[in-house]
Amino acid sequence: MPRMALLFLTSTTSTPDLPLYEEDDNLAPVYFVIIGTGIVIIVILFIYAIICIRKRRSNNDDETQERVQENEAAVPLPETQVPKGYANLNRAAAPAQTLASSPTRSEYMGLIDVKTDKAQERLSTFKERCEPGSDVKWELPHDAVIIQDIIGVGEFGEVMKAVAFSLLGNDIWMTAAVKTLKDDSSPMEREDLLKEIKLMKRLPPHPNVVSLLGCCTREHPLYLIMEYLPEGDLQHYLRRSKTDTLANYKNLHPNSKYLSSDDLLSFAWQVAKGMAFLEEKECVHRDLAARNVLVDADKTCKVSDFGFARDVLDVKDMDRKTHGYVPVRWMAPESLLYDTYSSMSDVWSYGVLLWEIVTLGSTPYHHMSNIEVIDKVPVGYRMPKPTHCETTIYNLMLKCWQDVPASRPSFDIVNHELDDMVHSEEEFITLRNFDEKVLISLDTKRENRTLPRNLEPPKKNDLSRLSRTM
C-alpha cells in the first residue's frame, strides 16, 4: 500500500517533457525584449557620459581663461612702456610705436609658468657675479630669455623670436629677436658675433637702424638680443607684396596690401638715413642689401645684420684679409679686386639695394652668374634702367656705381637727394609701367650665395683665382 501511494504521488506531480519545451518557446520574445532594453540603456548612458565629459572640459577652459586674465592683470607685461632713450625711434610721419610690444596669447601662455619674482632674483644674482666695470646693463642670463620660434636660418647662425625680461634695466617682458650661432660654430664665428655685439653697443638709437637691447655673452650659447620687426627682411617683404602691387596698378583686383610708388621711395629714403647715420659714426657695413634691412609693421625700415660691419674710427678705408664669404652681386669693384671696404663701397651697395627696391625685390644681375658679375662689373658693366623707373632715380644709381670711390656721393648727399624726391609731387617710380620680365628671381640660396674669399686679396685683373672658388 505505501508503495502504491508513492507511485501515485509521483505520477501526479511529474510534468511531461513536451509541454516544458513548448513553455520555453513562449518565453523567447520576453528574452529579446529584455536584451534590447539593456542595449538601449547602455547607449543612453554612453551618450550621457560623453555630454558630461564635454561639459567638464568647457568648464575647465572657462576657468583657464579666467586664470589667464587674472595673470595678465597681475604680471607687468609691456604695453606702453619704452626703454629710456628709445621713445622717439620711429620717424615723425609714422604712427608712434614702442619697442616693447605686448606678447600675443600664445607667447603669454609660454610665460605663465615663469615667475617674475624668480626671474628678478636670478637676474640680480647674475649681475652680482659680473665683473666690475663690465657692461652689466646689457647682460642677461639665459633664464631671462624665452625662445618662441625660429624666424631665420643662415649659414652660421639662427635668428629667433623671443620674449626677454629686464632688457635695458626695464623690469618688464619684451618681445625681441635673438641672434645666435649654430651648435657646430667655430671659435672664429663666435669671435665675429662678439665683435658685432660690441659694435652695436657703441651705436646710439636711430629710427632707421636696428637697436641692440641686450646680450648673453657669459653663458653658452651666445645671444645677441635686438628689437623685433614683424614684417621681416625687405627683400622678402617686397616679393610678398609684388602680386598685389602689380594687380592693383593694372586694376585686376585692388588689395590693401599693395605698395605705392611713395612707399618704395620712402623705403629708399629711410635706408639712406640709416646709412648716413652709420657713416657719421664711421661704421662700414660691408653687406648692405635688401635682405639685411628689416621692416616694421608701420613700414619703417631699419638697417640690420652687422655681422660683416666694422668700426673704422679714424681709418678711412680698410682691408679685409680674413677668411669668409662675400656677396659679389652687391660689391664695389675695389672690394672685388682689392678686398678694400669703406663708406664709399657701402654707397655702391646702396645703389644695388635701390635697384632692388625699384624692381620689387628682383635679383641684381639676374641674367648673369656670380663669375660673370666678377668679370664684367670691374670693367664698366652696369645694370640697365628699369622701364618704370624715372631717369632721376636711375641717375642716382649710376652716381653710386662710379668706378672711382671718391666720385660717389656720400650717404648724406644721397639722403638729401631722396628727401627732395619724397617731398616732390613728381612720380619717380611708375609701377603701372612695370615690366614683369624684370621679375626674374634666382633661387634664394643661389642668388644670396657668396663666394669664399681666400686669405690674400686678388691682384688687379687677376680674377682666375676667384673664378676657381665658385
Side-chain angles (χ1 to χ4, degrees):
M1 183 67 183
R3 182 179 178 185
M4 293 183 63
L6 181 62
L7 291 173
F8 176 78
L9 181 61
T10 304
S11 64
T12 57
T13 57
S14 62
T15 304
D17 291 341
L18 185 58
L20 177 63
Y21 287 109
E22 291 178 353
E23 188 173 325
D24 287 343
D25 290 339
N26 293 333
L27 291 176
V30 177
Y31 297 151
F32 288 131
V33 171
I34 294 174
I35 294 173
T37 303
I39 293 174
V40 171
I41 292 174
I42 291 173
V43 171
I44 293 174
L45 290 175
F46 181 74
I47 294 174
Y48 178 75
I50 292 177
I51 293 173
C52 291
I53 292 173
R54 290 185 176 180
K55 186 175 181 181
R56 181 176 298 177
R57 288 180 178 176
S58 177
N59 292 336
N60 290 339
D61 291 341
D62 292 340
E63 292 176 1
T64 301
Q65 186 172 357
E66 291 176 0
R67 187 165 58 253
V68 169
Q69 292 174 351
E70 291 175 359
N71 287 335
E72 286 177 344
V75 178
L77 290 177
E79 293 182 356
T80 59
Q81 304 180 59
V82 184
K84 295 179 181 179
Y86 290 78
N88 298 316
L89 277 179
N90 292 325
R91 57 190 172 92
Q97 196 163 36
T98 66
L99 291 178
S101 56
S102 299
T104 62
R105 178 167 297 277
S106 61
E107 293 170 342
Y108 183 77
M109 292 302 292
L111 294 175
I112 290 181
D113 296 330
V114 179
K115 305 298 184 181
T116 302
D117 292 340
K118 191 172 184 179
Q120 287 176 324
E121 180 181 351
R122 291 182 178 180
L123 188 64
S124 176
T125 303
F126 175 81
K127 290 188 180 294
E128 287 176 358
R129 295 200 307 264
C130 291
E131 298 177 3
S134 60
D135 294 333
V136 178
K137 70 173 184 178
W138 300 104
E139 290 292 339
L140 290 178
H142 283 171
D143 294 329
V145 181
I146 301 177
I147 302 299
Q148 299 280 334
D149 301 300
I150 296 177
I151 56 179
V153 178
E155 186 174 1
F156 304 112
E158 298 174 336
V159 179
M160 300 168 287
K161 185 179 180 181
V163 285
F165 184 75
S166 191
L167 291 173
L168 299 179
N170 294 272
D171 290 338
I172 55 175
W173 290 100
M174 294 173 59
T175 303
V178 174
K179 182 176 181 179
T180 188
L181 298 173
K182 294 182 178 179
D183 293 337
D184 58 351
S185 59
S186 67
M188 187 166 291
E189 290 160 5
R190 175 183 171 88
E191 185 65 25
D192 287 341
L193 184 57
L194 288 172
K195 289 180 180 179
E196 183 176 357
I197 293 173
K198 182 179 179 181
L199 184 146
M200 293 186 71
K201 286 179 180 179
R202 191 181 69 83
L203 295 175
H206 187 276
N208 300 115
V209 177
V210 170
S211 297
L212 181 71
L213 300 180
C215 59
C216 301
T217 63
R218 291 170 171 79
E219 297 178 350
H220 181 78
L222 294 176
Y223 283 172
L224 185 160
I225 307 171
M226 54 191 172
E227 55 183 312
Y228 171 74
L229 280 72
E231 295 297 337
D233 68 86
L234 180 59
Q235 181 191 67
H236 288 91
Y237 180 74
L238 292 169
R239 292 179 180 180
R240 288 197 307 268
S241 306
K242 173 184 61 180
T243 301
D244 291 322
T245 297
L246 297 182
N248 177 77
Y249 280 93
K250 294 181 180 180
N251 296 318
L252 296 179
H253 50 84
N255 191 304
S256 60
K257 294 181 180 180
Y258 78 92
L259 296 174
S260 67
S261 298
D262 290 341
D263 288 330
L264 300 182
L265 199 59
S266 175
F267 295 159
W269 182 37
Q270 292 181 65
V271 175
K273 288 192 289 185
M275 290 306 299
F277 168 76
L278 294 179
E279 182 182 60
E280 178 187 353
K281 299 301 178 183
E282 299 179 300
C283 175
V284 178
H285 192 285
R286 301 199 303 174
D287 194 15
L288 182 61
R291 64 180 178 275
N292 289 331
V293 174
L294 298 180
V295 185
D296 209 345
D298 63 353
K299 297 182 180 178
T300 298
C301 290
K302 303 192 179 192
V303 179
S304 69
D305 202 336
F306 298 93
F308 278 174
R310 290 296 179 266
D311 186 354
V312 184
L313 296 178
D314 294 330
V315 181
K316 297 306 179 185
D317 56 40
M318 53 186 289
D319 292 337
R320 189 172 74 89
K321 300 180 181 179
T322 58
H323 81 299
Y325 288 76
V326 290
V328 296
R329 293 175 187 268
W330 289 263
M331 289 175 64
E334 68 270 16
S335 302
L336 286 171
L337 295 176
Y338 305 117
D339 249 6
T340 299
Y341 296 83
S342 67
S343 291
M344 291 299 101
S345 60
D346 279 348
V347 170
W348 175 286
S349 301
Y350 177 83
V352 181
L353 184 150
L354 181 57
W355 188 92
E356 289 184 274
I357 293 175
V358 169
T359 59
L360 297 177
S362 298
T363 302
Y365 311 99
H366 54 81
H367 58 291
M368 298 166 61
S369 68
N370 283 338
I371 296 302
E372 290 174 318
V373 173
I374 295 174
D375 286 337
K376 295 182 179 181
V377 169
V379 296
Y381 178 81
R382 303 293 182 265
M383 286 186 287
K385 182 178 84 68
T387 56
H388 63 287
C389 171
E390 294 300 318
T391 304
T392 307
I393 289 284
Y394 185 64
N395 284 341
L396 180 57
M397 295 181 196
L398 293 178
K399 291 178 184 177
C400 295
W401 296 336
Q402 291 292 312
D403 282 322
V404 180
S407 300
R408 300 168 199 160
S410 66
F411 277 113
D412 187 57
I413 294 176
V414 173
N415 178 27
H416 281 91
E417 288 195 23
L418 285 168
D419 189 1
D420 292 338
M421 295 183 202
V422 167
H423 293 93
S424 171
E425 296 182 359
E426 184 179 350
E427 188 176 30
F428 295 95
I429 305 172
T430 312
L431 287 171
R432 67 179 65 89
N433 298 331
F434 196 99
D435 184 1
E436 294 193 52
K437 294 179 181 179
V438 177
L439 285 174
I440 300 176
S441 299
L442 305 177
D443 177 74
T444 302
K445 291 183 179 179
R446 179 185 171 191
E447 71 180 88
N448 289 339
R449 184 176 60 188
T450 53
L451 299 182
R453 176 73 81 205
N454 294 329
L455 293 178
E456 294 298 327
K459 305 296 182 182
K460 187 175 182 179
N461 298 327
D462 179 17
L463 303 177
S464 60
R465 183 160 53 81
L466 276 178
S467 299
R468 289 196 299 270
T469 62
M470 182 64 178

